[in-house]
Amino acid sequence: MTTTSTPAPTVPATEPPDEPFLTRFRAPAAFLLGAVLLVGVAPLVLSDFRLGLLAKYLCYGIVAIGVSLAWGRGGLLVLGQGVFFGLGGYAMAMHLKLADAAATGQTLPDFMQLYGTEGGLPWWWQPFANPAFALAMTVLLPMAVAALLGVLVFRRRVKGAYFAILSQALAAALAIWLVGQQATTGGTNGLTDFQGFFGYDLSDPVNRRMVYLVIAVALLLLMAGARQLFVSRYGELLIAVRDSEERVRFLGYNPANVKLVAYVVAAGVAGLAGALFVPAVGIISPALIGIVPSIGFVIGAAVGGRASLVGAVLGAIAVAWAQSTLSDAWPAGWTYLQGLLFVVAVGFLPGGLASLRTVLRRRRTTDGVRTTKEGTT
């Protein structure tokens, strides 16, 4: 007797067959779209004033790349990025002030002449007259400070809130020191009124557009490099350290070294952002690198989505735009609104706006399962 078996019903695929293909080219397409908008469209449709504001916002977006790496991937709540942003900014500003002084035949920057600095140019200012040295220091100096602090902190397994408080205290200490050194750092006023940028006149709108293009290209290149780092073996190891540090240690890796690399790279990125911020905005001061700005860097990444590179950058740009717009209409309350944004993002949407699609999809799935169970019952 012959029996025939009924073929099992075919289960429809949950994802379309072309989804891997779309996923593979999603990042390059987004990168190309961003390049077209920033480099091609923005300079054509925006005025010089609006383009200068966008250049400022893009500098904050560059900082968010490092925050996404250190906090989003590594779980390091970096509340002191203003330190590295300021170190890079002051390194660039010192060179520009010395170049402006040399162009007028002076040996001292204008603010030092105003304050009557005795003994000539300070010794630690002198190397910054060299453009190559100044450019290198905008990145290497923040990385060196981060490496020193990271070795002292991570080797002692300091983490969580203690690390956040320590990094914030460092930002406050740097701001206080800069204010106290008025004759050599400009004090509360900081360094401002830059005339040139490596031989180009910053008063010329064409050169200011060139500065914007440099910032836009730097942002795109850093995003491309960060994405490659995210999907690399180190990126996976960094996530493993964030989720289960002890298991990584049992596997033979040193979590301190893994976190140190992320912290140092984030510091270098923030230093570069500070260096580009100086010619774009025309000022660097303690008010831009203290505790409040450092928290602002983190808030932008949190609102956009710290684990998403694109989300963190867009969030930082959006929060910076909101600060410029709303602080004019509500100067006394913007700081409170900024803090409220951070609380809402961390408490109710930990993944930021970048995770909103995933949250809604999970909710629809949960509602569908609940409806199915109720109908079955």
Side-chain angles (χ1 to χ4, degrees), residues 2 14 36 50 135 138 149 162 171 176 181 225 231 262 287 310 314 359:
T2 305
T14 58
V36 171
R50 296 296 178 185
L135 284 174
T138 59
L149 180 63
Y162 299 101
I176 293 173
Q181 303 296 318
V231 300
V310 176
L314 293 180
V359 172

Side-chain angles (χ1 to χ4, degrees), residues 165-203:
I165 293 173
L166 184 61
S167 61
Q168 200 171 52
L170 183 62
L174 178 62
I176 293 173
W177 181 81
L178 290 172
V179 170
Q181 303 296 318
Q182 186 172 6
T184 54
T185 64
T188 306
N189 297 327
L191 302 179
T192 185
D193 193 23
F194 308 106
Q195 303 299 320
F197 179 67
F198 293 95
Y200 293 93
D201 185 7
L202 286 177
S203 62

Side-chain angles (χ1 to χ4, degrees), residues 255-280:
N257 294 336
V258 177
K259 292 189 289 187
L260 179 63
V261 171
Y263 188 52
V264 171
V265 171
V269 172
L272 179 60
L276 296 174
F277 180 89
V278 169

